[in-house]
Amino acid sequence: MDIQAFADRRARLLRSMGRGIAVIPTAPERVRNRDSHYPYRHDSYFYYLTGFPEPEAALVLIAGDSPQALLFCREKDPDKEVWDGFRHGPEAARATFGFDAALPIASLDDKLFELLAGQPVLHYSMGHDANWDDCLVKALNRVRADVRNGVHAPAEIRDVRVELDEMRLVKDTREIADMRRAADISAAAHRRAMRATAPGRFEYEIEAELAHEFRRCGAQAPAYSPIVAGGANACILHYVGNSQPLRDGELLLIDAGCEVDSYAADITRTFPVSGKFSPAQRDVYELVLAAQRAAIAQIAPGQPWDAPHEAAVRVLAQGMLDLKLLTGSLDGVIESGAYRRFYMHRTGHWLGLDVHDAGEYKVGGQWRPLVPGMTLTVEPGCYIRAAEDVPRGLWDIGIRIEDNALVTADGCEILTEAAPKSIVEIEALMREPGGA
Ligand code: GLY
Ligand code: MN
Ligand code: MN
């Protein structure tokens, strides 16, 4: 593990804190039912600063002339390790991950009382976990109760995530390498899914192909619940039931990406179940693809966050008029928002440790300008539900095309190119022997 990258991030946060103490806990384990847990996923902020994957841990940073990074974690426990596997314990965690010191998590309450005393500022993000909030409030109140002994409690609490959100927005070399691997594996999974698709197969069978490729290639998990939506299901934006049969003549929309070493990919492809687009499907597909191309052309340093969305909306709205889904003028349907009947989401979001990653989209009331190292999705779509006022040939066509972009010095790089998206490429791939 490249522990230097994590140490550099801690040093940067310590510098920006100026003074005070920061507490950044990891996520709790969650019970699924009775004594079974959901697969554990650490907190992204905690991981960003530590690389430490175990539950029941917290990072404490103390800013000042001699800044310190302390890890609190579980102690070694040979009996529990027989059942649940390896735990570093404080000493190995300190040595392996490069902290100034590491201490048992059981000592945190008493230690926090000592460490908070005399600090002017507590950097902590309230409101995300009631147990941690309670722990911090109790520690603060213990220090406040000690005031007659000349102890000062922090007078200020600042949200440590504000600075971390800014840091997470621009990815470093190590993060980009992880995102490339997530993108490559996810693209391979989409290719596998396309090859495996045929009339009569079920959405869940295709979901299984995605999962197979993710794990076969070493991804730890899907980055979010995969959407495998045949026919009209594609018009349900968060369809995750994945239970229905795939029918000849319908499209299949797949929104799926994996997580590799904690970094996400987020790809959507839409293709015909039969391997061949119908003329109506082709029209809508080419429209969404043109909208995506227009959006991608807007991604460059200095461009406002919203520029790709505006470009996509313009192309999509014109296409909706051409397809007789809407009537009126281009400016009119954009102004009134009439296009939202068929395109109701935005064209992208930040991507990174979280699929909808950290970071503000506006600064000082303005859309934030893109800078090199930012990573975002570009995902226009068009969702046409059956309705009397809609041309019959377009009923139940739902299409989204989603790629992951890295802002570069002079434009952007699409990290997910390896997932085919032109009609020619898709139809060629689907003629290849299937994965079934
Ligand atoms: N897969 C979630 C999204 O596209 O935003
Ligand atoms: Mn997606
Ligand atoms: Mn997305």
Side-chain angles (χ1 to χ4, degrees), residues 224 255 266 268 349 355-356 379 400 402:
Y224 52 93
D255 185 346
D266 182 6
T268 308
H349 49 81
V355 64
H356 295 167
E379 48 179 305
R400 179 164 63 255
E402 176 173 27

Side-chain angles (χ1 to χ4, degrees), residues 321-388:
L321 292 166
D322 297 343
L323 290 168
K324 311 240 177 301
L325 290 167
L326 297 176
T327 53
S329 69
L330 177 57
D331 288 337
V333 298
I334 292 175
E335 187 97 342
S336 69
Y339 70 86
R340 291 204 190 103
R341 177 172 172 198
F342 305 105
Y343 181 45
M344 57 298 277
H345 59 78
R346 295 189 60 86
T347 302
H349 49 81
W350 305 126
L351 179 71
L353 284 165
D354 301 327
V355 64
H356 295 167
D357 206 31
E360 299 282 357
Y361 291 88
K362 275 190 173 177
V363 178
Q366 303 291 319
W367 293 111
R368 103 180 287 151
L370 299 176
V371 302
M374 287 175 164
T375 43
L376 57 147
T377 66
V378 201
E379 48 179 305
C382 187
Y383 313 92
I384 310 171
R385 289 165 174 272
E388 282 311 314

Side-chain angles (χ1 to χ4, degrees), residues 27 65 75 148 353 408:
D65 294 337
E75 290 196 84
R148 280 193 297 274
L353 284 165
T408 58

